[in-house]
Amino acid sequence: MSIAQLRRPECHLLGIESLDAAEIEQILQYARDLRARADQGALERQSLIGVSVVTLFYESSTRTRASFEIAAQKLGASVVSLASSSTSVTKGESIWDTGRTLAAMDPGAIVIRHSSPGAPHLLAEAAESVGDTAVINAGDGAHEHPTQALLDALTLTDRLGSLEGRTIAIIGDIAHSRVARSNLFLLKKLGAQVLLGGPRSLVPRTLEALGGQIVRDVDEIIEVADAVMMLRVQFERLVGPPPFPSLSDYTRAFGLTAARAKRMKPEAFVMHPGPMNRGIEIDPEVADGPTSVVAHQVRNGIAARMAVLERAMKRGPWAKLKDGAAPRRAEVRS
Amino acid sequence: MSTLVFRDVRLFDPGAGIDRPHATVIVDGERIESLAAPSTAQGDRIIEGRGRLLIPGLIDLRAHLCEPGHTRREKIETGVRAAAVGGFTTLVAMPTTHPAIDRVEVVELVLARAREAGKTRVLPAGALSVGREGKNLAEMAKLQAAGCVMFTDGDRAVKDSQLLRYALETAGDLGVPIATHAEDQSLSLGGVMHEGLVSTRLGLEGIPGAAEVVGVARDIGLAELTGQRLHLGHVTTAAAAELIRQAKRRGIRVTAEVSPLHLLLTDECCFGYDTAAKIFPPLRPQTDVDAMVLALADGTLDNVVSDHCPQIELEKKVEFDRAAPGAIGLETTLAAVLALVKSGRLTLERAIATLTRGPAQVLGRNDLGRLQEGGHADLVLLDLEHEWTFNRAEVRSRSFNSPFLGRSFPGRAVVTVARGEITHELEA
């Protein structure tokens, strides 16, 4: 398979890496507008009435799927929810064929989660070969989880305002984390400093090429960070022997214990994309404590995904691109 | 017996120190009758060389021909056709068939199919272990008698060091080399591309260079222990090349090879999740690629192989981590090596030697890969000025998986002669 240049890159959301800061800011700003309107019970314009959104999840998910589906419904879209266990995937259908089949039914967007990095790109190629369906990445293996980074950015900016010059810590299994990659890309584009912490076996040096700064002493990170993002160990992606001696040894060295949390800057706060492994990377009392913004993150997920869905359908601030206007990504490229 | 005459060729066989312009060559039957015939010589067929190079037919020590068992990917007939286009007259067929080439019947089948396919010499490599499973040695004496010229488990590392030791000793008794795919599989477990900056960016599981380095170190250790001939298959890392360089200096009987993929392409080809660039062993970063070219130039690496590994589209047009690895190579290997000559990184002498005398010596065959009167009429008329593009439409292999598709190359086999028969001729 050769790499096809996608025809409608401005509609798909395959990752944060290919977006520029202005595009990210635009999505965030629109998400804030939508959130404000929703909070007032005034999502007056049901912008996606008549649009079908397919959620195609090859990996299990609680919050992301529910969040996308609620976001779609709030905008008036109808949701078709597919899980790999109930689709032709169990009959051996390739993602290429699944993409072409679904796109031939002309839904507005397909939201895909898959364990293989790059799977959404392949699905987008397949979809573009038959129609105009947008593909939204809801997490592809250890690659990207762009809407998570967007909702995290909403949460961070809610508390910190501009991220320019801010220090954000990401601690845990960075190697296998799509959340870490998408956040790293986004935070760097918005001018933040990103400190990465965790065991050497799960925080490879090559991450520094993506813009993160690795600090081996977790306590040092925690003392200087404006926000601390804790990640779980992705046991499902590990092969071979365990990369650290034991869970409790991991917690001892890298977990956000109550004692460690006390060393945070007074106004600093704790984030976690979920699912949490309580007692391993984060103490329950920290997870549920006053410095935790986990519930706020989840709430922001709806707004971020509403914005992304409208972008996919060229609604909201993206409507002006609709008729013959050159897509901005293409301009950037040429 | 028909005769074939090449007129006005530049005889070029660096292994034998031959570089002679304006020569006329007469082929009679399967043999070279004369390398210094008068320019007026006549024959049943006369080919005008117009000063182009006439080199020995190329020898490939690593071609997956897929028959029996995987004939949707390739057949011996189509593989041999691709080989001829690429200037190869001798192929060592990997035992990565189904069933493996681990019993006499399979050797006979491969040889029979090869005979039907024409004059290209197909030399089966026997499986080192039964079923290439790494448990019990294959019956090497019987397999050798049936026609196997080396033993290898193909692209699977021999996990059990003791088994590899016994394999080296057994093959040593028979006077044939063992070829390995050097890899520590516990380090590469789960990996789908080179572990480095690109894999980190793409979120793909990596195979560290150290997986190969550890494997090569072990294999060299066993070659030293047994004193037997070991050929290291498709080497890709700078550190492994350095180990081989040292081993040779110390007099250990190792030889080693590299594929054009690892001489020209880096792991950056995997960006965009391009499964054509999913290769095994994986494409490495530029520093390793540069080290491979240097190691080929200085003789640390003995030969270049096609590592021809056909895969059907169904197995490539999927998620990167699920895609089948490998690329076809028979039609581009010579051209890829000539690209290194063109860019001044390899001498023409060395380039041709790595495809002729180099692999012949690995096999211990003095009769192959050389121009000599009375010798096999395995010849390639080579046009160094012929610029061409490797397009899908002209692929002769049954499969199309190659990261070189669309790439332009300098130099091409214009005519290939295997055992006196023209197996390939570019339409003028």
Side-chain angles (χ1 to χ4, degrees):
Chain A
M1 181 194 95
S2 60
I3 343 167
Q5 199 64 259
L6 293 173
R7 190 160 42 81
R8 303 170 76 233
E10 75 284 2
C11 296
H12 306 300
L13 181 65
L14 304 181
I16 296 293
E17 193 180 9
S18 57
L19 302 180
D20 59 32
E23 287 172 294
I24 293 167
E25 296 279 15
Q26 189 180 29
I27 295 170
L28 293 177
Q29 190 48 49
Y30 192 59
R32 288 184 200 107
D33 293 351
L34 285 168
R35 183 178 63 186
R37 276 188 266 152
D39 286 350
Q40 293 156 12
L43 266 180
E44 74 284 356
R45 196 172 47 87
Q46 294 261 296
S47 58
L48 298 189
I49 282 175
V51 171
S52 299
V53 172
V54 177
T55 56
L56 177 63
F57 276 52
Y58 291 86
E59 271 191 332
S60 59
S61 158
T62 309
R63 76 207 69 228
T64 304
R65 179 198 279 272
S67 179
F68 263 111
E69 294 184 354
I70 289 169
Q73 284 162 358
K74 275 183 188 271
L75 296 172
S78 52
V79 174
V80 179
S81 182
L82 300 175
S84 58
S85 57
S86 62
T87 64
S88 299
V89 172
T90 51
K91 301 173 193 164
E93 186 173 72
S94 71
I95 192 166
W96 179 262
D97 286 332
T98 302
R100 283 175 58 88
T101 303
L102 290 176
M105 301 176 197
D106 203 25
I110 303 173
V111 178
I112 177 179
R113 165 164 292 190
H114 199 289
S115 63
S116 294
H121 193 284
L122 186 57
L123 189 80
E125 274 182 49
E128 286 197 347
S129 72
V130 288
D132 282 340
T133 298
V135 171
I136 297 169
N137 181 2
D140 59 332
H143 179 223
E144 283 230 41
H145 191 352
T147 56
Q148 178 71 42
L150 289 166
L151 73 89
D152 285 339
L154 271 184
T155 309
L156 285 163
T157 51
D158 286 346
R159 296 288 291 252
L160 300 172
S162 167
L163 300 184
E164 189 74 44
R166 294 291 193 169
T167 300
I168 313 299
I170 307 179
I171 297 170
D173 177 2
I174 315 277
H176 300 103
S177 176
R178 52 196 175 212
V179 175
R181 276 176 186 70
S182 286
N183 264 302
L184 192 48
F185 291 134
L186 186 147
L187 293 170
K188 293 308 293 181
K189 284 172 200 274
L190 296 194
Q193 182 191 24
V194 182
L195 301 183
L196 303 174
R200 274 173 211 274
S201 55
L202 298 174
V203 185
R205 270 176 310 166
T206 45
L207 284 164
E208 297 208 319
L210 306 189
Q213 186 189 335
I214 296 172
V215 180
R216 292 300 176 189
D217 181 354
V218 165
D219 290 308
E220 195 183 311
I221 300 179
I222 283 170
E223 284 169 12
V224 300
D226 295 304
V228 178
M229 200 178 286
M230 298 305 296
L231 302 176
R232 74 187 175 91
V233 177
Q234 310 243 328
F235 292 102
E236 73 275 22
R237 300 199 201 287
L238 299 179
V239 293
F244 47 82
S246 71
L247 292 179
S248 56
D249 206 57
Y250 179 91
T251 306
R252 173 79 184 75
F254 307 105
L256 188 59
T257 58
R260 263 202 188 104
K262 288 199 182 80
R263 305 175 70 160
M264 286 166 48
K265 284 168 45 174
E267 69 283 14
F269 52 97
V270 177
M271 302 171 73
H272 197 303
M276 278 190 266
N277 288 325
R278 287 166 179 265
I280 301 175
E281 76 275 5
I282 188 165
D283 251 23
E285 63 180 277
V286 177
D288 301 329
T291 58
S292 165
V293 297
V294 172
H296 189 59
Q297 286 174 273
V298 175
R299 266 197 298 279
N300 276 336
I302 304 287
R305 288 170 180 128
M306 285 197 288
V308 165
L309 286 167
E310 292 218 13
R311 174 178 174 273
M313 299 309 300
K314 294 190 176 177
R315 305 289 159 84
W318 297 279
K320 60 181 178 295
L321 292 173
K322 207 168 182 177
D323 299 313
R328 57 180 303 164
R329 291 278 305 142
E331 286 165 17
V332 170
R333 207 174 279 122
S334 65
Chain B
M1 284 289 187
S2 67
T3 54
L4 175 63
V5 173
F6 283 95
R7 224 180 242 163
D8 188 19
V9 293
R10 175 179 163 197
L11 281 186
F12 194 74
D13 178 1
I18 298 174
D19 185 357
R20 194 189 311 152
H22 309 302
T24 296
V25 172
I26 301 176
V27 170
D28 185 19
E30 295 197 358
R31 300 275 162 183
I32 296 174
E33 186 185 290
S34 172
L35 290 173
S39 58
T40 52
Q42 293 300 317
D44 299 315
R45 173 79 202 273
I46 294 176
I47 294 173
E48 297 294 341
R50 296 197 296 277
R52 290 172 294 187
L53 274 69
L54 191 71
I55 62 173
L58 311 183
I59 303 167
D60 185 15
L61 298 187
R62 182 175 288 268
H64 301 274
L65 296 182
C66 308
E67 186 172 358
H70 303 296
T71 49
R72 281 198 305 172
R73 298 176 193 160
E74 193 75 282
K75 294 180 174 181
I76 288 172
E77 182 195 348
T78 52
V80 157
R81 211 163 61 205
V85 169
F88 288 102
T89 55
T90 299
L91 300 179
V92 172
M94 286 289 107
T96 48
T97 49
H98 188 77
I101 306 180
D102 61 357
R103 64 202 81 167
V104 169
E105 296 87 326
V106 184
V107 180
E108 286 170 348
L109 183 142
V110 168
L111 291 173
R113 290 278 189 279
R115 271 193 302 276
E116 290 161 20
K119 289 289 185 72
T120 304
R121 204 177 276 99
V122 176
L123 307 174
L128 181 153
S129 65
V130 175
R132 301 193 301 122
E133 286 174 350
K135 294 200 178 77
N136 298 297
L137 292 182
E139 294 179 310
M140 294 188 188
K142 289 182 192 168
L143 289 166
Q144 184 195 25
C148 289
V149 297
M150 62 157 65
F151 293 96
T152 177
D153 275 350
D155 47 14
R156 207 177 279 167
V158 181
K159 216 169 180 173
D160 187 321
S161 302
Q162 184 74 317
L163 186 79
L164 182 54
R165 175 193 181 161
Y166 289 148
L168 284 160
E169 290 168 340
T170 306
D173 288 338
L174 301 170
V176 290
I178 290 288
T180 58
H181 160 95
E183 178 191 4
D184 182 317
Q185 288 156 311
S186 65
L187 278 170
S188 55
L189 184 67
V192 298
M193 67 171 292
H194 172 73
E195 177 182 315
L197 298 178
V198 181
S199 70
T200 301
R201 191 170 284 264
L202 292 174
L204 289 167
E205 281 292 320
I207 300 173
E212 175 175 293
V213 180
V214 172
V216 165
R218 190 232 17 202
D219 291 3
I220 288 174
L222 292 172
E224 183 174 21
L225 173 68
T226 59
Q228 300 306 319
R229 275 161 59 202
L230 168 69
H231 183 62
L232 292 156
H234 48 208
V235 173
T236 65
T237 62
E242 188 51 39
L243 286 176
I244 295 163
R245 194 172 282 126
Q246 288 166 15
K248 285 186 163 185
R249 233 174 257 150
R250 288 167 50 220
I252 301 169
R253 298 170 74 194
V254 290
T255 50
E257 67 186 26
V258 63
S259 91
L261 299 161
H262 299 103
L263 289 166
L264 289 182
L265 305 177
T266 70
D267 57 344
E268 293 189 10
C269 295
C270 298
F271 276 131
Y273 301 96
D274 185 356
T275 57
K278 184 172 179 181
I279 307 294
F280 184 65
L283 298 177
R284 304 288 186 185
Q286 192 66 50
T287 47
D288 284 318
V289 171
D290 291 342
M292 287 302 103
V293 176
L294 283 177
L296 188 64
D298 75 8
T300 300
L301 300 174
D302 299 84
N303 65 302
V304 176
V305 291
S306 74
D307 212 349
H308 184 75
C309 185
Q311 301 287 0
I312 57 170
E313 201 135 295
L314 264 178
E315 293 174 296
K316 282 286 188 183
K317 211 176 177 91
V318 295
E319 301 86 329
F320 192 95
D321 54 359
R322 292 168 198 205
I328 55 171
L330 286 166
E331 294 164 74
T332 48
T333 296
L334 171 62
V337 173
L338 291 175
L340 294 173
V341 175
K342 186 91 175 181
S343 62
R345 305 174 73 200
L346 205 63
T347 62
L348 182 61
E349 286 77 8
R350 185 71 195 133
I352 301 304
T354 61
L355 289 164
T356 55
R357 179 60 68 91
Q361 284 175 337
V362 173
L363 288 176
R365 291 282 297 257
N366 280 328
D367 60 325
L368 297 177
R370 62 195 301 175
L371 298 177
Q372 59 181 341
E373 291 181 349
H376 301 294
D378 294 347
L379 301 163
V380 173
L381 184 63
L382 173 60
D383 187 346
L384 293 173
E385 308 301 319
H386 189 111
E387 289 268 348
W388 64 288
T389 303
F390 187 47
N391 285 322
R392 192 185 161 97
E394 42 185 292
V395 170
R396 300 302 171 87
S397 167
R398 202 168 159 80
S399 292
F400 300 89
N401 54 304
S402 171
F404 287 138
L405 276 181
R407 190 176 176 124
S408 292
F409 292 101
R412 194 171 197 184
V414 181
V415 177
T416 305
V417 174
R419 287 189 280 166
E421 181 184 277
I422 296 175
T423 52
H424 157 69
E425 190 171 10
L426 264 192
E427 288 98 334

